[in-house]
Every structure is written in structure tokens, then in C-alpha cells.
């Protein structure tokens, strides 16, 4: 498929992150009625040592303005967006085919991406033969909701993580996520790029539950966005420490510490592979958005 002559393409670089953010924000506003993506999300993702921006991205431009983009993140992961003012011109199909070709070149047998349920992106991927692999839910704690404290077992404590605990914290999170996520293990360097090196990071954003042996039993990582939402980006419990209420206690702690640092709303996301939706509903959270991960066999 060829683009009309009025469009040009080139690989992107970190300096293009702001333009990509603007396109993605416009897509979210159109599809969801609000914007969740932040510039820091893109910077953190692109600064991972495992990700080469210039060889893994494509920008589509008109008069030097970015209007569409795609990125192949490796394995089965990709992302793409077309500015709502430029839909219906074949740009989304062009970017999707570019991502598929990039995935083939790197030996992948399947590739997918998340799209808001019922959005134009969802309709396009459906038409291109992409199937739903799992469903993701974005949840928020309604304003003014009071969450009763969840006591920890005797001898356990919740606190801010210490810098030297970062490798152990990462291991607990990765061990938990890899039980249901079909991907390679994330490196510690990539984890650091998305947490402690993320623009706006503060040490209090890493929370842990410590067991009676002094080991990390559960972890949570937070960010606070420009709108004042404390967002829990990771929440995980060590396999031998489950069914003790640690995740609920840590989530409640995350809400409390977020409020201490100016947060007014609280959110997170989960998907149908984890079976964790009921956990978040138990503390009063409500689903606000639904995303579908659609994928195609190459």
C-alpha cells in the first residue's frame, strides 16, 4: 500500500515524543472523552535500553506535522495512532502493515496492540483481521470514597522501598506478571527506565510490604499525572504470600500516600488474564474505560 504524495514518512526519535503524545492524546479524547496518556509515559517507554526508537518507529507527516505514527516494541507488542482529523485516508492501514512487516523481519509470529473498545482503531483492526486476545479495564476510585484500612498480618509492614531493594522489588513484580503474560523477562535496566528514571519520579512512589523475614512480599509502583491522579502502574504479590490481603493493604496504602502528595483521584488498570478485577472492586474502584488487545497471526 502506498501513501498519497502529500504525506511523507520517516523513523522517529526521542525529540518526536511530544508530537506522538499530541496525536495519542487526540485519539484518546475522541475515543474516551478524556486523556490518560502523558508525555512521561512515552519518554519512559522509549528510553528503555532494549528499545531502539529510530529502528522501531514510523512517523507519517503532512507539511512537517506528525499526523500518524506506529511503533513495534518487540515480541507481540506494538502501538499506533492516527490523528482524528486525518482518519479515513488509509493511514491506519498503512501503519498497521508497516508494523506487521517489522514484526516479520524480527521473527515474530503474532503482533497486536491495545485499542479502546468501539473506537475507530478497534473497527479498523477488526476489518484487517485482528482478533481479541484479552480485555483490559481502567478503574478509578470515585471521588470522596472512603476505603477502610486493611490490616496486615502480624509482623508485616508497608513502607517506601529502599534504593538497594530495587532488584528484589523488580523480581517480585516480574515473577508475578510472567505467570500470565507471554513475553520475555523484563530486564532491571528497562524496569528502571520506566520507574526511577521516568520523568517526575519520586522515591515515595515505590511501595512494598515486608514480611517477617525482612523480604519483599508485595510491591506497588505509582505515578501522579498532571490532572492529579495517582495511578498504580504495577501491583504484585509474591506467590507464597498470596491470600493474606497484602495487595489490598498495599493498594490502600498507595491511595493514602498519593493523597498526601496531592492526588485527588486514584486509578489503575488490569486485564482478563490476571483475574484481579474483583480485588479492585472490593476496595470500591469502578471501571471507567475498556480496552481490547487485538492481534493478528503473521
Amino acid at each position: 500500500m502506498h501513501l498519497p504524495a502529500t504525506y511523507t514518512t520517516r523513523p522517529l526519535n526521542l525529540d518526536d515524543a511530544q508530537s506522538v503524545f499530541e496525536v495519542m492524546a487526540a485519539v484518546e479524547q475522541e475515543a474516551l472523552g478524556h486523556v490518560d496518556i502523558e508525555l512521561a509515559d512515552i519518554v519512559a517507554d522509549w528510553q528503555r535500553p532494549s528499545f531502539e526508537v529510530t529502528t522501531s518507529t514510523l512517523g507519517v507527516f503532512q507539511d512537517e506535522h506528525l499526523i500518524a505514527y506506529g511503533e513495534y516494541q518487540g515480541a507481540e507488542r506494538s502501538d499506533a495512532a492516527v490523528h482524528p482529523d486525518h482518519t479515513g485516508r488509509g493511514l491506519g492501514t498503512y501503519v498497521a502493515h508497516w508494523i506487521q512487516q517489522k514484526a516479520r523481519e524480527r521473527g515474530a509470529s503474532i503482533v497486536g496492540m491495545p485499542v479502546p473498545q468501539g473506537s475507530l482503531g478497534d473497527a479498523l483492526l477488526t476489518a484487517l483481521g485482528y482478533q481479541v486476545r484479552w480485555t483490559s479495564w481502567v478503574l478509578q476510585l470515585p471521588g470522596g470514597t472512603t476505603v477502610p484500612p486493611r490490616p496486615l498480618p502480624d509482623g508485616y509492614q508497608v513502607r517506601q522501598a529502599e534504593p538497594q531493594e530495587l532488584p528484589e522489588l523488580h523480581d517480585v513484580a516480574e515473577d508475578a506478571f510472567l505467570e500470565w503474560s507471554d513475553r520475555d523477562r523484563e530486564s532491571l535496566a528497562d524496569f528502571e527506565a520506566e520507574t526511577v528514571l521516568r520523568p517526575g519520579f519520586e522515591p515515595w512512589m515505590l511501595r512494598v510490604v515486608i514480611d517477617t523475614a525482612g523480604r519483599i512480599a508485595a510491591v506497588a509502583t505509582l505515578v501522579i499525572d498532571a490532572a492529579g491522579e495517582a495511578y498504580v502502574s504495577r501491583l504484585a504479590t509474591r506467590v507464597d504470600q498470596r491470600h493474606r490481603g497484602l495487595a489490598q493493604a498495599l493498594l490502600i496504602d498507595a491511595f493514602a500516600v498519593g493523597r498526601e502528595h496531592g492526588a485527588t483521584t486514584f486509578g489503575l488498570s488490569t486485564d482478563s488474564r490476571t483475574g484481579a478485577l474483583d480485588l479492585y472492586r472490593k476496595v470500591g474502584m469502578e471501571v471507567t474505560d475498556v480496552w481490547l488487545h487485538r492481534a493478528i497471526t503473521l
Side-chain angles (χ1 to χ4, degrees):
M1 178 179 179
H2 298 285
L3 288 175
T6 54
Y7 300 107
T8 60
T9 64
R10 66 164 172 82
L12 301 175
N13 56 62
L14 198 55
D15 291 338
D16 294 307
Q18 176 66 37
S19 296
V20 171
F21 162 72
E22 291 170 1
V23 172
M24 296 184 76
V27 169
E28 289 190 353
Q29 184 64 47
E30 175 77 12
L32 303 172
H34 58 87
V35 176
D36 288 330
I37 189 75
E38 285 198 299
L39 176 60
D41 297 327
I42 299 169
V43 172
D45 207 32
W46 284 10
Q47 71 183 1
R48 290 174 295 142
S50 66
F51 185 70
E52 294 186 12
V53 180
T54 57
T55 61
S56 303
T57 59
L58 175 75
V60 180
F61 295 81
Q62 185 177 57
D63 299 327
E64 299 185 356
H65 296 290
L66 182 74
I67 57 172
Y69 106 104
E71 65 178 279
Y72 177 63
Q73 301 170 0
E76 302 175 5
R77 298 176 56 200
S78 68
D79 212 343
V82 178
H83 195 284
D85 293 343
H86 295 269
T87 56
R89 306 177 191 184
L91 303 182
T93 300
Y94 180 89
V95 172
H97 287 166
W98 177 88
I99 289 172
Q100 292 175 25
Q101 183 57 36
K102 184 65 67 173
R104 288 189 188 95
E105 291 171 1
R106 299 188 183 176
S109 59
I110 188 171
V111 68
M113 68 182 72
V115 287
Q117 185 178 48
S119 65
L120 292 176
D122 188 14
L124 172 62
L125 293 188
T126 301
L128 293 176
Y130 286 65
Q131 302 296 316
V132 175
R133 297 190 72 199
W134 61 81
T135 300
S136 298
W137 300 278
V138 178
L139 299 98
Q140 263 195 355
L141 188 69
T145 301
T146 301
V147 182
R150 176 66 186 257
L152 288 167
D154 290 343
Y156 287 67
Q157 63 170 314
V158 59
R159 60 166 170 79
Q160 176 179 309
E162 300 293 340
Q164 68 272 17
E165 293 174 323
L166 196 62
E168 184 183 0
L169 185 157
H170 171 247
D171 283 342
V172 170
E174 275 297 278
D175 288 346
F177 294 152
L178 288 174
E179 291 178 22
W180 49 263
S181 180
D182 185 15
R183 59 171 173 78
D184 292 335
R185 190 175 187 85
E186 178 189 53
S187 70
L188 177 59
D190 277 7
F191 176 75
E192 290 174 330
E194 294 180 314
T195 54
V196 298
L197 299 179
R198 184 184 189 274
F201 171 78
E202 297 290 343
W204 62 265
M205 295 177 175
L206 297 183
R207 314 298 298 174
V208 293
V209 172
I210 303 300
D211 66 17
T212 55
R215 298 177 58 205
I216 294 177
V219 305
T221 64
L222 295 90
V223 298
I224 289 189
D225 66 20
E229 179 180 64
Y231 184 84
V232 180
S233 56
R234 288 175 171 87
L235 180 66
T237 303
R238 212 172 71 214
V239 64
D240 64 313
Q241 294 291 323
R242 292 175 189 165
H243 311 297
R244 302 184 184 188
L246 304 188
Q248 286 190 42
L250 194 53
L251 189 59
I252 293 167
D253 166 78
F255 294 159
V257 76
R259 187 175 289 110
E260 291 172 4
H261 288 84
T264 54
T265 57
F266 309 90
L268 52 75
S269 65
T270 189
D271 69 52
S272 52
R273 297 172 297 173
T274 70
L277 183 60
D278 286 344
L279 164 67
Y280 305 128
R281 284 176 164 162
K282 285 179 181 177
V283 299
M285 304 194 78
E286 298 177 354
V287 173
T288 58
D289 301 315
V290 180
W291 290 69
L292 302 177
H293 184 91
R294 289 191 173 273
I296 190 168
T297 301
L298 302 175

